[in-house]
């Protein structure tokens, strides 16, 4: 049996035991890590068991070890696992503008190591910042990437209004394109300033930008062409959707962004640079 198959067998054995005998499952994984210390899947399985058991201290140590020992693994995937295991807070994140301003103005060289409390209030904002940095690279290139640009708009809500200038840059790019498609818009964008800006883009003064923000809007356009005219029905659907979205502006932003990370995990990973 090859080393890879040995590792897979040990991990599978631990998974089979974890619900009935967590201690036995951990024993299998400790043995596995001793035999194969360079196998990422063993380390990740140990972290998953500790995270699911809500043992935050040991889960945090294992996650840190993964970042140090397996730098070639997709870090954002691991971060999304962390976000998926968080419990959303009932209050919006509190930002210390003085401290964040100092941190941004201070130049850093080399690697950046941060020690954070193992709480959703501390970890989620950090994960959002990392994802934002990844998507920003693709969203504002010369080539068109509506999906990354849409993700950027969603994530900019977290740092609002500090990110307003970058949001306006995104709006300028959409105007230059003349159209924009992001079907998750009404699922996750609840910022009233952003909603007003996108509503304005549909007007004559805003340039009559073609926005496809509703799920399956291409099919809706085809349907309305037959039943109610080429764009009349779609405009009405957009107006009603925007009105409903305005009523969600008081929704907890932490909950919205947490849901974005969990529900869209696969598409986020696929669209990473």
């Amino acid at each position: 049996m090859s080393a890879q198959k040995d590792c897979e067998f040990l991990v599978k054995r631990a998974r089979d035991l974890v619900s009935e005998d967590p201690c036995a499952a951990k024993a299998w994984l400790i043995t596995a890590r001793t035999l194969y210390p360079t196998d990422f899947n063993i380390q990740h399985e140990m972290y998953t068991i500790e995270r699911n058991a809500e043992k935050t201290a040991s889960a945090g140590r294992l996650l840190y070890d993964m970042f140090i020992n397996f730098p070639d693994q997709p870090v954002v995937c691991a971060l999304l696992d962390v976000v998926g295991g968080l419990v959303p807070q009932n209050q919006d994140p509190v930002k210390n503008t003085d401290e964040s301003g100092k941190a941004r103005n201070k130049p850093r060289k080399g690697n950046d190591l941060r020690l954070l409390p193992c709480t959703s209030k501390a970890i989620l904002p950090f994960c959002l910042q990392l994802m934002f940095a990844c998507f920003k690279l693709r969203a504002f290139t010369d080539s068109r990437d509506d999906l990354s640009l849409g993700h950027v708009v969603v994530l900019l809500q977290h740092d609002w209004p500090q990110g307003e200038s970058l949001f306006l840059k995104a709006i300028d790019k959409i105007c230059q394109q003349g159209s924009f498609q992001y079907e998750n818009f009404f699922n996750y964008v609840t910022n009233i300033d952003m909603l007003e800006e996108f509503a304005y883009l549909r007007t004559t003064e805003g340039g009559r930008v073609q926005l496809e923000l509703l799920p399956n809007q291409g099919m809706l356009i085809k349907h309305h062409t037959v039943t109610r005219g080429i764009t009349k029905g779609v405009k009405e659907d957009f107006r009603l959707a925007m009105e409903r979205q305005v009523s969600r502006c008081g929704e907890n932003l932490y909950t919205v962004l947490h849901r974005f990370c969990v529900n869209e995990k696969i598409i986020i990973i696929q669209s990473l640079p």
Side-chain angles (χ1 to χ4, degrees):
M1 186 179 291
S2 66
Q4 181 63 33
K5 290 184 178 179
D6 286 344
C7 294
E8 292 175 356
F9 169 77
L10 293 169
V11 170
K12 183 179 184 302
R13 183 62 178 159
R15 287 176 181 169
D16 293 340
L17 288 170
V18 68
S19 59
E20 299 177 0
D21 192 346
C23 293
K26 290 177 66 175
W28 275 87
L29 289 174
I30 291 172
T31 302
R33 188 170 66 169
T34 303
L35 294 172
Y36 304 101
T38 60
D39 187 87
F40 173 78
N41 292 327
I42 293 173
Q43 182 88 2
H44 187 267
E45 190 65 27
M46 295 181 72
Y47 155 73
T48 301
I49 290 176
E50 295 299 285
R51 185 201 67 188
N52 292 342
E54 299 183 357
K55 297 181 179 179
T56 55
S58 55
R61 286 193 296 269
L62 289 166
L63 182 62
Y64 175 78
D65 288 343
M66 283 193 291
F67 289 158
I68 298 300
N69 298 325
F70 304 97
D72 295 332
Q73 293 293 328
V75 175
V76 176
C77 297
L79 287 171
L80 288 172
D81 280 343
V82 176
V83 174
L86 297 176
V87 178
Q89 299 282 330
N90 291 325
Q91 59 184 18
D92 288 333
V94 178
K95 304 182 185 69
N96 189 327
T97 54
D98 293 336
E99 291 182 2
S100 61
K102 292 177 182 178
R104 287 173 186 162
N105 294 331
K106 185 178 179 180
R108 290 191 177 93
K109 295 182 179 180
N111 295 327
D112 184 13
L113 173 63
R114 300 188 186 187
L115 301 179
L116 301 173
C118 194
T119 63
S120 60
K121 188 175 181 180
I123 295 175
L124 181 56
F126 182 63
C127 294
L128 294 174
Q129 290 172 9
L130 291 181
M131 285 191 289
F132 173 75
C134 292
F135 289 121
K136 186 173 68 171
L137 296 174
R138 297 187 62 170
F140 295 106
T141 59
D142 294 334
S143 59
R144 176 167 177 167
D145 190 340
D146 284 5
L147 186 59
S148 294
L149 194 59
H151 292 337
V152 164
V153 171
V154 172
L155 294 171
L156 277 172
Q157 295 177 105
H158 167 253
D159 204 24
W160 195 264
Q162 281 75 16
E164 185 175 6
S165 60
L166 197 58
F167 171 71
L168 294 177
K169 182 179 178 181
I171 292 296
D172 288 340
K173 182 171 185 180
I174 292 172
C175 291
Q176 292 173 8
Q177 294 177 172
S179 63
F180 176 66
Q181 180 179 8
Y182 188 67
E183 295 185 354
N184 274 323
F185 181 88
F186 288 112
N187 290 331
Y188 306 113
V189 178
T190 60
N191 182 289
I192 185 62
D193 296 326
M194 292 182 175
L195 295 176
E196 289 178 351
E197 196 67 38
F198 274 93
Y200 178 74
L201 292 179
R202 290 289 297 264
T203 65
T204 303
E205 295 80 3
R208 289 189 177 276
V209 177
Q210 181 181 349
L211 299 177
E212 295 186 23
L213 307 180
L214 296 166
N216 302 318
Q217 186 167 331
M219 296 179 62
L220 288 173
I221 292 175
K222 184 177 180 180
H223 170 72
H224 290 309
T225 300
V226 177
T227 59
R228 290 187 286 174
I230 295 177
T231 59
K232 181 180 178 182
V234 174
K235 288 181 179 179
E236 181 66 13
D237 291 339
F238 180 85
R239 184 185 66 81
L240 293 174
M242 191 63 74
E243 289 180 357
R244 288 194 299 267
Q245 202 68 3
V246 170
S247 68
R248 293 182 56 199
C249 289
E251 193 171 328
N252 181 268
L253 183 58
Y254 236 137
T255 303
V256 173
L257 295 177
H258 178 267
R259 189 164 60 242
F260 168 72
C261 295
V262 174
N263 294 349
E264 309 305 327
K265 175 181 176 179
I266 294 177
I267 196 170
I268 288 173
I269 293 173
Q270 290 175 345
S271 55
L272 285 172

